């Protein structure tokens, strides 16, 4: 049963993050918010209608960067304070105020991109030559130029931005507000059910009867809302299709991949190879789970169980410091100093408390240190979660320092590579420092079940389904619940074959993820992990030269394409080899799990 969480006011301060590094007092925050509004007004007065050549473009961009930098701590402070306690009325009001002010400032400054894009390509190239600092941003504008509409049309589209975002808000309202779960009953005992309880606890419950009953009850509630959710998703899809057509893209895929700076070949390969070549390995893993748990059959409701639920090492926050230090020291002194500072300077928020956001994330405000949110339960698997978030922190720690605010963020295709890289380093460290077969099996099963299953299976199956949906929309069709259920069922069946029974409710899995409202996001998880798996091997085999190259990749931020960044790290993602090698590595891990399981059973 879920324990009662304390209010935020009762948690240990030393285990919370220190937001005073952003603003010491509420008065400082208010003053900064007022000042940046005035800066935006001054900027508009000085530059609106006056960006006419390369020189004025460079001058405007320099001033604009300053405003963007001033907005960073304001938005971060409001967001982070809200995320640790959503019951805090003051934090919610502050967040709403920042959101409204940000929209006003964004509207006031929206002329900048339109006026820059009204300049000739020659003028933009001259501006890039005059200012190396702005060259990359201007080159991206030139690339976008064929898809820019007239200024009036862009203004109208910007004005409708909240309407275009409405499907995502409606999805969340349906999922998190309207959808209310009743308790489910097993052998006369009632168990509480909610989205968080199912995905955080019941989905991995070791008692088969309870786990499958929870899945049935959860699926029954999803089914009640399938038609509303499908209609909401279709509205989002039609808006994307209309925008794609208006901007002159041939397909929705071309429109959504444009910002990621990758082509259809990379996108399709990631899905096709995993669907065909990883599937046999994961079916083998499913059979291993079935055997270990003595299941009568392997169903979709059983796929998230632990290989050995009786073995779960525990760890304290204090003990985690040594694990992070020892596992990541291979990255060098400067990286390690960043890791150590995250503890000593309170960059990490550990406590569980009422109103705190679920999951884990890393926020990396430009010009400041990163902040990491995690709800520490004391389970050993959280060393992987924390190593992952420190990977994001390390990435932007270096990128923000080396690049300006317009150049720091890389393509979405690459964003998960530095984080999953750290998970690989942590796993290697744990395996190297234990001879206990049970612990080794726990480490490897954590990699397979958490790192690879999550990124290479859960999100990849989302991507394969999403591709079928977009193909349907590109052909001029709409979608409804029946169509989405059929498409999802077919993708799951193709991957799991006859080895996993798709119990009723598996087809409704499309209702559970918000990723479908975020463009072509799901496939990027496996893309990032493909890169990081290969780089981790290089680091472990070659040492310092590979580390130095990886640090240069982190520092490059968004100034290179994903193909260029991977190439800097010694990985050629224009070929199938890195992905094939990664799939083979997953297969080797599953083979090793079988061997260790047999060894443990003989003891």
């Amino acid at each position: 049963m879920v324990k009662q969480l304390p209010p935020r006011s009762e948690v240990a301060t030393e285990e919370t993050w220190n937001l005073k590094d952003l603003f010491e007092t509420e008065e400082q925050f208010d003053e900064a918010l007022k000042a940046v509004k005035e800066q935006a007004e001054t900027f508009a007065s000085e530059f609106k209608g006056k960006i006419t050549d390369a020189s004025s473009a460079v001058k405007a961009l320099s001033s604009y960067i300053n405003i963007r930098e001033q907005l960073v701590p304001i938005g971060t402070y409001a967001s982070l304070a809200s995320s640790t306690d959503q019951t805090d009325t003051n934090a919610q009001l502050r967040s709403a105020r920042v959101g409204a002010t940000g929209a006003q400032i964004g509207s006031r400054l929206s002329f900048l991109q339109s006026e820059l894009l009204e300049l000739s390509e020659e003028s933009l190239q001259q501006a890039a030559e005059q200012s190396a600092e702005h060259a990359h941003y201007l080159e991206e504008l030139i690339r976008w130029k064929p898809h820019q509409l007239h200024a009036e049309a862009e203004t109208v589209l910007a004005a409708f931005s909240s309407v275009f975002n409405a499907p995502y808000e409606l999805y969340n309202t349906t999922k998190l507000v309207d959808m209310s779960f009743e308790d489910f009953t097993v052998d006369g005992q009632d168990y509480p059910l909610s989205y968080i309880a199912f995905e955080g606890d019941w989905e991995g419950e070791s008692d088969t009867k309870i786990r499958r009953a929870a899945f049935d009850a959860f699926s029954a509630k999803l089914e009640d809302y399938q038609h509303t959710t499908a209609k909401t998703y279709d509205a989002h899809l039609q808006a994307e299709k209309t925008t794609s057509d208006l901007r002159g893209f041939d397909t929705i895929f071309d429109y959504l991949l444009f910002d990621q700076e990758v082509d259809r070949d990379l996108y399709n390969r990631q899905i096709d190879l995993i669907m065909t070549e990883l599937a046999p390995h994961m079916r083998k893993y499913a059979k291993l789970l079935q055997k270990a748990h003595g299941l009568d059959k392997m169903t979709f409701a059983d796929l998230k169980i632990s290989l050995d639920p009786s073995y779960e090492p525990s760890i304290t926050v204090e003990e985690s410091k040594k694990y992070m230090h020892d596992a990541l020291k291979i990255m060098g002194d400067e990286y390690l100093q960043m890791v150590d500072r995250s503890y000593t300077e309170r960059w990490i928020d550990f406590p569980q408390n009422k109103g705190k956001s679920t999951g884990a994330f890393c926020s990396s405000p430009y010009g400041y240190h990163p902040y990491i949110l995690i709800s520490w339960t004391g389970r050993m698997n959280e060393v992987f979660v924390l190593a992952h978030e420190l990977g994001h922190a390390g990435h932007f720690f270096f990128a923000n320092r080396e690049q300006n605010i317009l150049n720091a963020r890389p393509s979405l295709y690459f964003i998960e590579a530095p984080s999953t890289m750290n998970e690989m380093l942590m796993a290697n460290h744990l395996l190297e420092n234990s001879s206990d077969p049970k612990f080794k099996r726990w480490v490897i099963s954590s990699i397979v079940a958490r790192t690879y299953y999550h990124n290479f299976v859960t999100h990849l199956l989302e991507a394969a389904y999403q591709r079928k949906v977009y193909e349907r929309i590109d052909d001029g069709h709409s979608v409804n619940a029946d169509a989405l259920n059929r498409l999802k069922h077919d993708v799951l069946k193709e991957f799991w074959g006859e080895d996993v029974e798709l119990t009723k409710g598996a087809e409704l899995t499309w209702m559970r993820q918000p990723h479908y409202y975020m463009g072509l996001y799901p496939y990027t998880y496996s893309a990032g992990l493909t890169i990081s798996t290969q780089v981790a091997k290089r680091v472990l085999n070659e040492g310092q030269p590979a580390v130095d190259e990886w640090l240069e990749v982190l520092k490059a931020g968004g100034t290179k394409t994903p193909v260029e960044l991977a190439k800097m790290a010694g990985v050629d993602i224009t070929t199938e080899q890195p992905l094939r090698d990664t799939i083979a590595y997953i297969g080797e891990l599953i083979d090793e799990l079988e061997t260790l399981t047999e060894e443990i059973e003989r003891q």
Side-chain angles (χ1 to χ4, degrees), residues 411-579:
S411 160
L412 194 62
Y413 185 96
F414 193 83
I415 209 78
E416 294 297 335
S419 53
T420 52
M421 164 76 167
N422 278 13
E423 292 190 55
M424 296 296 98
L425 296 178
M426 177 59 71
N428 180 75
H429 168 69
L430 294 175
L431 289 171
E432 277 191 344
N433 288 276
S434 177
S435 57
D436 178 1
K438 273 206 162 190
F439 184 76
K440 290 171 80 75
R441 184 174 69 166
W442 175 83
V443 173
I444 296 171
S445 64
S446 294
I447 304 168
V448 172
R450 208 203 80 79
T451 303
Y452 283 110
Y453 191 106
H454 188 64
N455 297 294
F456 260 77
V457 180
T458 299
H459 292 320
L460 197 283
L461 292 178
E462 291 173 15
Y465 155 82
Q466 187 183 43
R467 183 171 63 175
K468 289 179 180 293
V469 171
Y470 278 129
E471 287 170 349
R472 183 182 174 95
I473 299 300
D474 264 332
D475 287 341
H477 302 294
S478 59
V479 293
N480 58 21
D482 289 341
L484 295 174
N485 289 342
R486 185 174 64 254
L487 290 174
K488 188 64 181 179
H489 181 277
D490 290 349
V491 166
L492 294 174
K493 187 66 177 176
E494 180 184 350
F495 189 83
W496 292 111
E498 299 302 318
D499 294 288
V500 175
E501 180 181 301
L502 298 183
T503 43
K504 179 175 168 54
E507 74 283 356
L508 296 169
T509 308
W510 64 268
M511 295 178 63
R512 293 168 55 181
Q513 288 290 356
H515 290 156
Y516 305 125
Y517 298 84
M518 302 173 186
L520 297 177
Y521 182 36
Y523 91 103
T524 65
Y525 281 88
S526 65
L529 187 51
T530 298
I531 296 168
S532 64
T533 299
Q534 300 310 309
V535 175
K537 285 183 179 179
R538 283 199 63 214
V539 167
L540 296 171
N541 292 331
E542 301 172 29
Q544 198 59 48
V547 170
D548 291 342
E549 289 176 5
W550 185 240
L551 292 176
E552 289 304 310
V553 169
L554 302 185
K555 292 173 184 177
T559 61
K560 307 284 186 183
T561 68
V563 169
E564 291 169 337
L565 289 169
K567 188 175 181 180
M568 287 173 66
V571 182
D572 184 1
I573 59 173
T574 65
T575 73
E576 294 181 347
Q577 202 58 48
L579 181 53

Side-chain angles (χ1 to χ4, degrees), residues 26-69:
E26 195 71 22
E27 290 73 25
Q28 285 183 356
F29 171 83
D30 291 337
E31 290 168 6
L33 189 60
K34 179 182 177 183
V36 78
K37 287 173 68 176
E38 293 172 354
Q39 266 187 288
E41 288 300 322
T42 301
F43 178 86
S45 299
E46 184 176 354
F47 292 106
K48 189 171 184 179
K50 300 170 186 175
I51 303 174
T52 56
D53 56 19
S55 178
S56 56
V58 170
K59 188 176 179 183
L61 276 174
S62 297
S63 294
Y64 173 69
I65 281 177
N66 183 257
I67 295 174
R68 283 280 300 270
E69 290 176 352

Side-chain angles (χ1 to χ4, degrees), residues 208 212 287-297 305:
T208 301
R212 291 178 178 174
K287 300 302 281 187
L288 180 60
L289 288 176
Q290 181 181 355
K291 181 182 176 184
H293 285 261
L295 300 178
D296 56 332
K297 58 185 176 180
I305 54 180

